[in-house]
Amino acid sequence: MSKYLLNKFLYTVDRDPELVERYREDPRATVAMWETEYANRILNCVDGESSTWLRFDDTEREALAAHDYPALFELGAHPFLTLTLFIAMFERDHEPMGFQTEYARRLAHVSMPYPDIAT
Amino acid sequence: MAELVAVIASTHHPFYYRASTAVGDDRPPFADEWVRKVEAFRETLTKARPDVLVMVGSDHFHQFWLDNMPQFLVGKAPFYDANFYNEEREFGLPKMLLTGQEDLSAYVLREGLDAGFDLAFSNELRIDHSITCPIITLRPQNDLPIVPIYTNIFAPPLPQPKRFVQLGRTIRQLIESWPEDKRVAVIGTGHLSLELGGPRQFGPTGPDPQFDRKAVEWISSGDIEGCLSEVTLDSLHLPGNATHGFMDFMLMMGVAGEGRKADYVDTYDLFHTMEAYFTWYPNGGRS
C-alpha cells in the first residue's frame, strides 16, 4: 500500500489545469496514463533519473479510477489533497458550498480515530 | 539593535479576500462585520510602525512535497512570488510579489543554526496563502520587506508542539539581537479547530467550539504551560483533522512570552472555522 503514491497522484494532478480536466472527464484512462508516465517521476529530477518501483495496488487504482473520495479517505490519502482536487473537479456542478457539504455527508460514517495519513 | 515592535497571531482564512471584495448579491452576509474586524486588527500593526515583517506560515503542499519535506524553513531571497494556481482557482487569490529582507534571513539562518535549530532554507520560494492572507488583511499595501518562515503542520511526522514554542522564543531572541536599527513585527498564522476533507468539514461553526474557546484563552493569557500540558500531536486530531495548524499559534505564544497577555484580542465565529486575532506589544506599545 502506498499512501505516498496516492498523494503524489492527487498533488501532481491538482497543480496541472489540463490534468484536472482529464481526470474529471475520463478518470480511469487518466489514472492508467498517470501510472505509466508520472508515477515514477521524481519531481525535482530529469526523466532519466526517475524511480523504478512505484505502482498502485488494485484497491488504490480503483479508488482513484472511481473518483471514490470516501475510499481515498479510508486508505489514508491526505485529506487536504483529496478535498482540494475534488473541489476543483466538482464544485462547479453544485450550488455554492453544496459539494463541500455533500463531501462531508458522504464521510459521515467515519469515526475517530481517522485513518493514519503518515507516509 | 533591532526592536520587536509587535507580535501578531492570526488565523488565515483564504476566503477573506473574495468575501471582502464581493459586491451586490455575491457579497456574503458576514462580510461587512468581517471587514470591520480585520480593519481594526490592521490598525494594531499600523500603529507599531514596523520596517520589516517576519512572517510565519505553512506551505500547503505547494512548493514542498513529500519527497523533500522541511520541518522548519527560512526563505532567503530578494523577492518572493506568491500564491499558486490552485489558490487562484479555489479562493480567487491574486498573484503577488513580496520583497525580501535578505540580511535578516541570513542572520536568522546563521544564528538559528547556532542556537540549535537545524533550519532548512530556500533561495527561491513561492509563498502561499498562509503568508499572503495576513499581508492582505494586515498590510494590503504590501510595502514592507519580509522574512518568511515555514513550519510543517501538514505532513506527518511533525515536530512536537513544544518545539514550535521553542522556535518562537528563538525567533524573538534573534530579532532582538539583530544589529540593525529596524522596527520588526512578527506575524504568524495558523488555525483553531479545523477539519478539511473529513466528515466535520464546513459545518455551521468550527468543528470544536469548546477547543476554540480554550485556545483563545491560552493565547490571550499567554498560558504556554497550560497549553503545552494539554496539547499533544495526538490530542490535536480530536478537535478536527487540520487542527495541527494550531501549533503556529503556539509558536507565536513563544514569540510573545510566557504569561504575556495579548494587548488586543478579537474573534469572529464564521461557518467552517473561528477567526481569531491577537496582538502583543513587547515594549508596551510606545512608539
Side-chain angles (χ1 to χ4, degrees):
Chain A
M1 190 180 89
S2 174
K3 286 181 274 188
Y4 170 72
L5 196 60
L6 285 175
N7 289 343
K8 188 175 180 179
F9 177 90
L10 299 167
Y11 174 70
T12 55
V13 171
D14 178 72
R15 68 208 319 241
D16 182 331
E18 196 186 319
L19 281 180
V20 170
E21 294 308 310
R22 282 176 74 176
Y23 183 45
R24 171 186 157 95
E25 298 305 327
D26 192 353
R28 200 163 290 278
T30 306
V31 171
M33 177 282 299
W34 188 91
E35 192 168 0
T36 305
E37 296 185 20
Y38 286 77
N40 280 286
R41 283 189 199 168
I42 300 177
L43 301 183
N44 203 28
C45 295
V46 298
D47 283 351
E49 295 158 352
S50 290
S51 301
T52 57
W53 51 274
L54 290 153
R55 63 190 302 274
F56 293 123
D57 69 24
D58 291 344
T59 309
E60 294 160 349
R61 196 178 295 113
E62 184 57 28
L64 289 172
H67 281 161
D68 188 348
Y69 56 85
L72 293 171
F73 186 92
E74 296 288 352
L75 290 168
H78 199 294
F80 182 89
L81 290 170
T82 314
L83 176 66
T84 302
L85 175 57
F86 278 74
I87 284 176
M89 292 194 294
F90 299 120
E91 186 181 34
R92 69 186 86 163
D93 302 332
H94 296 73
E95 292 291 303
M97 301 311 293
F99 179 66
Q100 288 88 334
T101 47
E102 178 184 304
Y103 194 115
R105 197 172 63 248
R106 286 193 57 195
L107 287 167
H109 60 284
V110 172
S111 58
M112 301 288 289
Y114 294 170
D116 182 14
I117 64 165
T119 47
Chain B
M1 287 293 177
E3 185 177 4
L4 180 63
V5 295
V7 178
I8 293 185
S10 173
T11 42
H12 62 248
H13 202 314
F15 290 122
Y16 176 78
Y17 180 77
R18 186 178 271 164
S20 64
T21 55
V23 295
D25 290 346
D26 291 336
R27 192 168 178 86
F30 50 82
D32 289 348
E33 175 68 359
W34 200 1
V35 169
R36 190 193 67 71
K37 283 176 176 281
V38 162
E39 288 180 350
F41 188 33
R42 182 183 306 158
E43 183 57 28
T44 71
L45 175 66
T46 306
K47 78 178 196 187
R49 297 187 298 106
D51 303 311
V52 180
L53 303 176
V54 173
M55 305 292 299
V56 178
S58 299
D59 180 81
H60 297 65
F61 284 138
H62 284 125
Q63 186 167 338
F64 298 111
W65 174 238
L66 297 170
D67 64 0
N68 191 359
M69 182 57 71
Q71 299 292 3
F72 298 116
L73 176 139
V74 178
K76 178 186 175 293
F79 296 98
Y80 302 96
D81 285 292
N83 292 331
F84 288 78
Y85 147 68
N86 68 0
E87 298 172 301
E88 212 175 333
R89 182 185 72 201
E90 188 174 348
F91 311 129
L93 289 174
K95 290 201 163 55
M96 296 168 68
L97 177 66
L98 294 91
T99 306
Q101 184 76 39
E102 208 172 352
D103 56 350
L104 180 55
S105 289
Y107 186 83
V108 168
L109 281 165
R110 180 68 267 160
E111 299 296 320
L113 287 163
D114 295 346
F117 275 94
D118 297 331
L119 301 165
F121 67 93
S122 172
N123 294 143
E124 186 179 6
L125 183 65
R126 189 175 187 95
I127 59 179
D128 80 1
H129 72 271
S130 65
I131 287 177
T132 57
C133 284
I135 294 295
I136 287 166
T137 54
L138 294 166
R139 196 73 181 187
Q141 61 271 50
N142 184 21
D143 61 340
L144 296 177
I146 69 161
V147 172
I149 300 179
Y150 268 150
T151 67
N152 176 20
I153 49 88
F154 212 61
L158 309 178
Q160 294 287 347
K162 68 179 178 198
R163 200 65 178 147
F164 284 74
V165 172
Q166 288 166 353
L167 181 58
R169 288 178 179 139
T170 299
I171 289 170
R172 178 173 183 149
Q173 287 162 6
L174 298 182
I175 290 168
E176 291 181 332
S177 66
W178 185 37
E180 296 290 331
D181 184 23
K182 298 274 193 190
R183 300 170 65 83
V184 181
V186 187
I187 300 172
T189 68
H191 295 292
L192 303 183
S193 70
L194 181 65
E195 175 113 335
L196 293 171
R200 294 174 289 172
Q201 70 178 6
F202 295 103
T205 65
D208 190 342
Q210 194 182 346
F211 175 86
D212 295 345
R213 279 193 295 278
K214 260 175 133 165
V216 169
E217 179 59 28
W218 284 325
I219 301 165
S220 56
S221 63
D223 185 9
I224 295 174
E225 290 309 315
C227 185
L228 278 174
S229 72
E230 290 194 39
V231 171
T232 67
L233 290 174
D234 280 342
S235 80
L236 285 173
H237 289 290
L238 301 175
N241 70 348
T243 309
H244 290 84
F246 179 66
M247 292 194 293
D248 280 335
F249 274 109
M250 298 180 73
L251 187 155
M252 297 310 299
M253 292 167 73
V255 179
E258 171 68 43
R260 186 66 172 79
K261 288 185 171 49
D263 295 292
Y264 180 90
V265 180
D266 198 10
T267 60
Y268 192 30
D269 218 350
L270 289 176
F271 79 98
H272 175 46
T273 185
M274 181 189 261
E275 286 283 276
Y277 310 133
F278 307 87
T279 301
W280 294 261
Y281 295 115
N283 61 7
R286 69 176 186 278
S287 56

